[in-house]
Amino acid sequence: MYEKSLTWAGDFESTVEIQYLAEGKVRVWAWAVECLEEPERKYRGETIDEFFDFFKGKRATIYFHNLKFDGSFILDYLLRKGYPAYPLVWKDKPSEPHVETLIDGHGQFYWLQFIDKTTKTNLNFKDSLKKYKMELEKVAKIFKIPGKTELKLGYRFLNREVTQEEWDRVEGDVRILATAMRWQMTQGLNKLTIAADAKAAYERIMGRDVVHMKHPHLPEDIDVLIRPGYRGGWTFLNPIYKEEFLENVWVLDVNSMYPAVMSSTHGEWLPYGFPRPVDEDYQLREGEVDMVLVDAMPVLKEGAIPWIHYKNVLEHTSEEYIYDCERPLPFVFTRPDLDLFDLTYESDYWNFKGRLVFKAEQNQFTPYISYWNKIKQESDLTGDEGMRQLAKDMMNNLSGRFALNPNREGKLPSFDPIKNKIIYTPLEVKTKPWYVPTSAFITANARKRIVMDAMKFGDDFVYADTDSLHIINGDKYNLEDMIQIGPRELGYYKIEEVWQKAKYLRPKAYYHEGRTINMKKKDKEIKCGGLPEEAKLKLDLKEFFIGAELEGKKAGKVVPGGYLLKETTFKIKKKEWGYL
């Protein structure tokens, strides 16, 4: 008979590059766990063998913050011992001792399971990074826990005793994670990801039958037809400011952009139910929206800002915006997309291929958004950062859940004795599509608004990213007459900051310096995907340019024993974004 199943927070410390070069492998040299249900139960050890000895005969769920790292050591240990690995299934599990995995095509670990009925062992390893999408240091700040301290890592001789300073670091990380996940347990957040938690909360608040009546699982052929109409957030850098030094840049952020659309703050209509096909001349009635399939050759109008990307076009990257399309291309547009198209593009070629009409309603998500927005506002007043973060996550992680791709790629691990390490084989993962029109219309309405607002500022518009506008000469405008300004109102712009100095290299890569509003925060802000925090601290505005090579990055790779984080440099690369 199995003992009671318990939940744990865990962490591994492993050898670094200098050790790997000497030994040809990596290994765990310290681990610690803390029980969520029984906080007094804390254990630690110095080898991965001791870790599995401790959990032998137990039923447990163990959270690691970034399972891709810690899980690589777990897989190496188990598969090297000969346990076979299978894709994770819910029933009809193999009877032999084995490992099951849920790893996506990008190599992100969601769930590892080890089952050995002969020893009554059932271990589920899950990733807390899918619940808190941030570094552990930020989790510590939310729950007001002393943050982690840096270890001076170097060569570790075999059997060297772990120092108290090192134990404090490992156990400190585990304490942070245990506190955060214990809090999630008290809130009933028991799903694998925060997006799944949001879906469960939506069903609870609205009623499961109502949710699935409004958002039915669409047939696969319809999903394939309209999925290209789902576009992400709009990110654009005005090319006249590319790589220029700027002064007094105003940053205007929309308070909860997607939640505001979901609750129809500006009168947005969102689809529900199954669509029906209509002809091109059909006149929409009130309470209807549509999606149109066409071939077109968009040409940007004078004074307009581009927002349509090339997609699957050999001569162009998917990051390029369309200015002057050379040949007819296929598009799927939602009604908000078509309204924005009329304002920004023209096309001499327009070949109608199909049209689907949906019933639509306003305030579709208002009860759900209002519930969590009230909690967020109350948390602002009480200083409850944990509840505030949860409310933000619940509001911001639901909209994309409807658009999960039913045809995804996974990876299945196995041990390769020749390479002496774990290798991964691509795996097709097929699920039922849910209701991509919801996500498509939410993002389309948001995109329409932010593009139209950006154009109001003409050449003073610098940059936009999904829910924010960056402008210069902000003091010459009466902003309240141009856009809705409000510090907390849902869907209104908040003047987030006015930066004394700034430089923009490309979308998702910019440098701000010299706050004038939020003086208690760090005096500079750098956004550049992949650039580590350590490098940002040392970076000067003059050193921020295309081609700059900066130290401080750690690149990971699978090696014998587990996963190695290797010191390397980060190069700020040029990307083609379709500038003229």
Side-chain angles (χ1 to χ4, degrees), residues 214 297 353 504 511:
K214 291 186 176 182
M297 294 176 61
K353 297 195 297 185
Y504 296 78
Y511 187 120

Side-chain angles (χ1 to χ4, degrees), residues 179-461:
T179 301
M181 295 310 299
R182 190 176 292 122
W183 186 86
Q184 287 229 343
M185 286 181 65
T186 66
Q187 303 301 317
L189 304 172
N190 58 4
K191 300 298 183 182
L192 193 60
T193 66
I194 191 62
D197 283 323
K199 178 187 175 185
Y202 178 50
E203 291 176 339
R204 185 174 64 251
I205 292 170
M206 303 296 293
R208 195 173 190 278
D209 291 342
V210 172
V211 168
H212 288 275
M213 180 272 292
K214 291 186 176 182
H215 314 287
H217 288 281
L218 293 178
E220 187 174 354
D221 59 337
I222 294 180
D223 180 84
V224 170
L225 196 66
I226 63 178
R227 183 165 289 276
Y230 172 50
R231 298 173 176 85
W234 180 63
T235 304
F236 183 76
L237 170 60
N238 189 336
I240 65 175
Y241 299 117
K242 185 174 183 286
E243 301 183 69
E244 296 291 330
F245 289 96
L246 303 177
E247 294 182 349
N248 297 323
V249 173
W250 294 53
V251 177
L252 312 170
D253 285 351
V254 178
N255 298 318
S256 303
M257 169 71 95
Y258 288 167
V261 172
M262 295 164 74
S263 53
S264 301
T265 303
H266 294 87
E268 295 90 347
W269 292 84
L270 297 180
Y272 69 90
F274 290 100
R276 71 181 195 278
V278 298
D279 60 33
E280 186 175 12
D281 298 326
Y282 176 82
Q283 296 296 310
L284 288 176
R285 304 166 188 167
E286 184 171 342
E288 291 182 337
V289 293
D290 60 343
M291 298 183 76
V292 176
L293 290 78
V294 298
D295 290 331
M297 294 176 61
V299 176
L300 190 70
K301 293 182 179 180
E302 186 175 354
I305 300 176
W307 55 273
I308 303 175
H309 285 283
Y310 287 101
K311 193 171 183 179
N312 299 322
V313 178
L314 187 61
E315 309 95 293
H316 300 276
T317 72
S318 60
E319 294 168 331
E320 286 185 72
Y321 285 106
I322 296 178
Y323 284 84
D324 188 350
C325 194
E326 307 95 337
R327 57 186 172 85
L329 297 175
F331 297 98
V332 179
F333 292 122
T334 64
R335 178 49 49 183
D337 289 330
L338 289 167
D339 294 340
L340 185 58
F341 188 98
D342 288 341
L343 289 171
T344 54
Y345 285 96
E346 54 193 8
S347 178
D348 292 334
Y349 183 89
W350 190 267
N351 177 39
F352 173 80
K353 297 195 297 185
R355 186 181 181 197
L356 294 174
V357 168
F358 299 81
K359 293 179 181 179
E361 61 185 353
Q362 295 175 315
N363 301 301
Q364 189 175 98
F365 293 87
T366 297
Y368 175 83
I369 297 298
S370 296
Y371 174 85
W372 288 110
N373 194 46
K374 181 181 178 183
I375 290 176
K376 178 174 176 285
Q377 291 175 338
E378 290 173 349
S379 301
D380 281 333
L381 297 175
T382 62
D384 188 340
E385 291 296 322
M387 190 59 77
R388 184 182 187 277
Q389 185 63 45
L390 174 61
K392 284 181 60 179
D393 288 341
M394 289 290 110
M395 289 197 294
N396 292 326
N397 282 277
L398 179 60
S399 63
R401 180 74 183 181
F402 299 93
L404 284 180
N405 196 326
N407 299 306
R408 301 193 293 274
E409 190 177 87
K411 290 186 176 181
L412 184 66
S414 62
F415 176 68
D416 186 325
I418 297 176
K419 295 182 178 179
N420 191 30
K421 65 178 184 177
I422 301 299
I423 62 171
Y424 294 88
T425 304
L427 185 73
E428 286 189 11
V429 179
K430 197 170 182 65
T431 59
K432 287 197 303 183
W434 193 10
Y435 199 72
V436 70
T438 293
S439 300
F441 274 82
I442 290 171
T443 55
N445 277 290
R447 188 168 49 250
K448 174 185 172 184
R449 181 184 174 204
I450 200 82
V451 172
M452 291 176 64
D453 285 345
M455 290 197 296
K456 294 175 183 178
F457 294 96
D459 284 345
D460 287 334
F461 162 68

Side-chain angles (χ1 to χ4, degrees), residues 21-38:
L21 294 174
E23 298 181 3
K25 65 178 182 179
V26 291
R27 54 184 168 83
V28 172
W29 57 263
W31 59 267
V33 293
E34 180 178 324
C35 184
L36 272 57
E37 294 89 349
E38 302 172 12

Side-chain angles (χ1 to χ4, degrees), residues 38-50:
E38 302 172 12
E40 70 282 358
R41 297 185 66 176
K42 302 175 184 179
Y43 303 92
R44 68 190 192 187
E46 299 184 21
T47 67
I48 197 167
D49 294 275
E50 293 174 359

